[in-house]
Each structure stands twice: as C-alpha cells, then as structure tokens.
Amino acid sequence: MHYLFAADDSACAEEAFRHLMHIFRKETDTLVIIHAVESLSAVATPVLAMPPLVVNPVSAEVITESRKENKRHSDVLKTHYSNLCSQQGVVSTWAEREGTPIDAIKKYIHDHPVDTLVLGTHGHNILERAVLGSVSTHFVHNPICALLIVPAKRK
C-alpha cells in the first residue's frame, strides 16, 4: 500500500499520523509525507469566486523573506515527522511542494503511485469551510484515490 500523508502543524494532522501508524505495515507499505509551501501568490488567491483581491505590490525582499520563513517552517515539520517515523521504525520520504495543499496533493498523486491519501480534518462547520476552505472536504467531493480522513481528538 502506498500512503501519502499531508503534513502540517495542526492537531488534526498529528492525530491522522498517529492513526496511520496503527495501520501501517512496515514490511510492505510505503509512506510519503507531503507538505505544501504556499507562496504569497497562492495565499492571495480569491476564495469562492470572489473578485480578485487588491493587494499592494509586494517587494522582492518581502517575497524572499517569506520564502525563507516558509522553508524554515517546512524544515521543522520535516524534522518532526522524520523523528516520529524513526520512533516507529518507519522509513518515509519527504515531498515538499510549492502551492496550495490541494494543488500540491493533486499533482503529486497524478505523478506518483498513491493508494491512500491520509488527511486530518479540523471539523469546521459549513461557514468556516466556506471562508477558510477545506482540503479534506475538497477530496471527499473530488476523490482521486482512497481516502483516510481522521478528525482531531475531541476535548
């Protein structure tokens, strides 16, 4: 089984990873951990077909600093999940992609063999999903492989 796990720094991603480790078979399964690094242009993309946002021109310096900060954040996540995999005796591959999580995941699945996409979900209500968007909701409505969607633990 080829698993693709979407990593971020949320509690729901942590819970999804823990669940994946319970079903993962070290002898036969493979794991790729993907993390999408959103650029400034991806973040400024309009939501729900709203008119384009009017943004002040962003200087090259701001873009460079933003990319450096995104890279630092991604490196922290990579180290964190690599350590968790090592503790479980699981060999994993890290895939960092630029763009929105949805686009990065879709492109990765198009280009590589993936049997199951593993996602955490925040459990937002319909209004929160409409405003914030939802990666898991997107793939539920537009599946391109089997899905394992795990909610964050309830408090």
Side-chain angles (χ1 to χ4, degrees):
M1 181 80 67
H2 299 290
Y3 288 101
L4 179 64
F5 169 70
D8 62 23
D9 57 358
S10 68
C12 58
E14 288 279 331
E15 188 61 27
F17 184 82
R18 279 192 288 277
H19 189 81
L20 174 58
M21 290 298 100
H22 287 291
I23 62 173
F24 192 85
R25 295 175 306 202
K26 297 175 210 170
E27 303 80 26
T28 58
D29 294 343
T30 61
L31 173 60
V32 173
I33 302 172
I34 190 167
H35 176 64
V37 178
E38 294 190 69
S39 65
L40 287 177
S41 60
V43 174
T45 301
V47 178
L48 297 175
M50 292 171 31
L53 301 173
V54 177
V55 233
N56 292 330
V58 180
S59 72
E61 183 179 306
V62 169
I63 292 171
T64 300
E65 283 306 308
S66 174
R67 285 190 174 138
K68 285 180 184 175
E69 183 55 35
N70 286 342
K71 179 68 174 145
R72 282 191 289 271
H73 179 253
S74 186
D75 288 345
V76 167
L77 278 177
K78 179 180 180 181
T79 299
H80 174 69
Y81 282 105
S82 293
N83 289 340
L84 291 176
C85 285
S86 293
Q87 292 168 7
Q88 298 289 325
V90 171
V91 176
S92 64
T93 303
W94 181 257
E96 182 179 299
R97 300 293 188 267
E98 188 166 310
T100 66
I102 291 170
D103 290 341
I105 291 167
K106 284 167 60 174
K107 180 159 179 28
Y108 188 91
I109 291 172
H110 180 266
D111 295 343
H112 300 86
V114 173
D115 296 311
T116 303
L117 172 60
V118 181
L119 299 165
T121 182
H122 296 277
H124 292 308
N125 65 37
I126 193 165
L127 180 60
E128 291 167 324
R129 279 193 308 273
V131 173
L132 300 173
S134 171
V135 175
S136 58
T137 299
H138 172 83
F139 286 104
V140 164
H141 293 287
N142 305 283
I144 52 178
C145 66
L147 298 172
L148 173 59
I149 299 176
V150 180
K153 281 188 174 178
R154 299 289 174 204
K155 296 178 183 175

